[in-house]
């Protein structure tokens, strides 16, 4: 009779299959070094908002992955005619990722996207 034998091991303060000293795959907020912007593009002004002279700041929560790319974004403070343009803009941004224990880690940041007509 053949079969697979399993053994239950205690998991103290970790996750099954985790790595000792690892940070997991979720965002890390207690990083040693914050993410730093490498490429921050300016938003493309929506035509209708420009014509109506709508200005303001859209605050976006962004998830920066361990490679420095924005992989998720959501509006925290809205300016309705500018929200879509703000989201489109932050997905173009590139960061040097946050660092924890000498390794790049994903993290969450708040990003103000300013729209002003000069």
């Amino acid at each position: 009779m053949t079969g697979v034998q399993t053994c239950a091991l205690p998991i103290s303060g970790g996750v099954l299959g985790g790595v000792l000293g690892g940070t997991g795959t979720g965002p890390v907020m207690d990083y040693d070094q914050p993410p730093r912007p490498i490429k921050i593009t300016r938003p493309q002004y929506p035509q209708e908002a420009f014509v109506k002279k709508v200005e303001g700041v859209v605050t976006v929560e962004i998830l920066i992955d361990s490679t420095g790319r924005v992989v998720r974004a959501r509006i925290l403070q809205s300016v309705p005619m500018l929200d879509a343009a703000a989201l489109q803009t932050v997905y173009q941004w590139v960061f040097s990722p946050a660092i924890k224990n000498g390794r790049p880690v994903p993290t969450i940041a708040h990003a103000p996207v300013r729209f002003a007509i000069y």
Side-chain angles (χ1 to χ4, degrees), residues 73-90:
R74 71 181 179 107
I75 303 295
L76 294 179
Q77 183 179 353
S78 175
V79 179
M81 294 183 81
L82 304 174
D83 290 352
L87 287 173
Q88 185 178 25
T89 297
V90 298

Side-chain angles (χ1 to χ4, degrees), residues 36-43 62 64 68 70 89-90 92-96 111-113:
R36 290 187 320 261
I38 293 173
K39 175 186 167 198
I40 302 295
T41 57
R42 294 182 65 170
I62 57 176
I64 303 165
V70 175
T89 297
V90 298
Q92 297 172 26
W93 293 0
V94 180
F95 294 83
S96 134
V113 181

Side-chain angles (χ1 to χ4, degrees), residues 1 13 31 62:
M1 183 169 170
Y31 43 73
I62 57 176

Side-chain angles (χ1 to χ4, degrees), residues 3-117:
V4 176
Q5 189 176 23
T6 60
C7 176
L9 298 174
I11 302 170
S12 175
V15 232
L16 183 62
V19 177
L20 186 61
T23 59
T25 57
V28 174
M29 299 310 291
D30 64 338
Y31 43 73
D32 302 325
Q33 180 180 319
R36 290 187 320 261
I38 293 173
K39 175 186 167 198
I40 302 295
T41 57
R42 294 182 65 170
Q44 183 86 25
Y45 227 109
Q47 184 65 33
E48 184 181 2
F50 184 81
V51 168
K52 292 183 177 181
K53 297 184 178 5
V54 176
E55 296 182 309
V57 176
V58 177
T59 304
V60 184
E61 180 182 83
I62 57 176
L63 173 61
I64 303 165
D65 72 7
S66 61
T67 69
R69 300 283 178 186
V70 175
V71 294
R72 191 176 70 218
R74 71 181 179 107
I75 303 295
L76 294 179
Q77 183 179 353
S78 175
V79 179
M81 294 183 81
L82 304 174
D83 290 352
L87 287 173
Q88 185 178 25
T89 297
V90 298
Y91 279 111
Q92 297 172 26
W93 293 0
V94 180
F95 294 83
S96 134
I99 303 294
K100 173 82 174 180
N101 298 327
R103 301 179 65 140
V105 293
T107 193
I108 292 175
H110 291 178
V113 181
R114 187 171 313 280
F115 292 82
I117 300 171

